[in-house]
Amino acid sequence: MVEEGSAFPAAPPASRDDFERTWMMDKTIVIVARANGRVAGSYHLVPNFGGRAAHIGNAGYMVHPDFRRQGIGRALVEHSIAEAPRHGFDALMFNLVFESNPARHLYEGFGFQAVGRVPEAVEGEDAIVYWRKV
């Protein structure tokens, strides 16, 4: 997932320390989905902002390529929406969803609204900012 550059924010190659620092450390919660004894995907929740806006959460998702199109991503997003209020979040915001990311349709199906666009966010590709109440 790191090597393909679609789900993980650090540029490849990423070390195990890079992964742990970026995906696991200082997160409100990290959830792992397993299938057939393997890690199929994961998500984490973290405040998108500090202070008075800390009620707005941010989630990051990734699904291993071997498990895509099997409902893992849908289950992770659904679980995060249900889990967010238990951790004090009343909304979720995704800061940079690349325009080419096929998960955009999944997010929109769960009621996330595109509330902004970042032109040429990474390597010339635009990104969408999504938000929804939970």
Side-chain angles (χ1 to χ4, degrees):
M1 290 179 270
V2 175
E3 288 175 0
E4 72 179 15
S6 64
F8 188 73
S15 69
R16 182 167 184 86
D17 287 344
D18 292 335
F19 176 79
E20 287 181 4
R21 184 176 48 257
T22 304
W23 197 259
M24 310 275 294
M25 303 194 71
D26 300 321
K27 304 301 185 250
T28 303
I29 187 171
V30 178
I31 298 294
V32 174
R34 297 183 65 84
N36 303 323
R38 296 175 53 202
V39 172
S42 178
Y43 81 83
H44 61 232
L45 288 175
V46 64
N48 200 43
F49 306 102
R52 297 182 304 170
H55 62 97
I56 301 170
N58 176 275
Y61 308 91
M62 62 175 137
V63 176
H64 190 283
D66 292 349
F67 295 97
R68 292 190 181 147
R69 301 202 175 278
Q70 296 178 34
I72 303 291
R74 173 173 296 284
L76 291 171
V77 173
E78 188 172 33
H79 191 271
S80 70
I81 291 168
E83 193 70 16
R86 293 187 45 210
H87 297 279
F89 301 119
D90 61 12
L92 287 174
M93 184 172 175
F94 306 150
N95 300 321
L96 295 176
V97 177
F98 294 117
E99 199 165 55
S100 64
N101 187 334
R104 288 182 50 213
H105 300 290
L106 177 64
Y107 303 148
E108 291 166 4
F110 274 104
F112 284 89
Q113 300 173 9
V115 295
R117 174 179 293 277
V118 181
E120 300 181 26
V122 176
E123 299 171 350
E125 186 173 2
D126 289 1
I128 312 300
V129 178
Y130 281 98
W131 175 91
R132 76 158 272 178
K133 283 237 176 244
V134 294

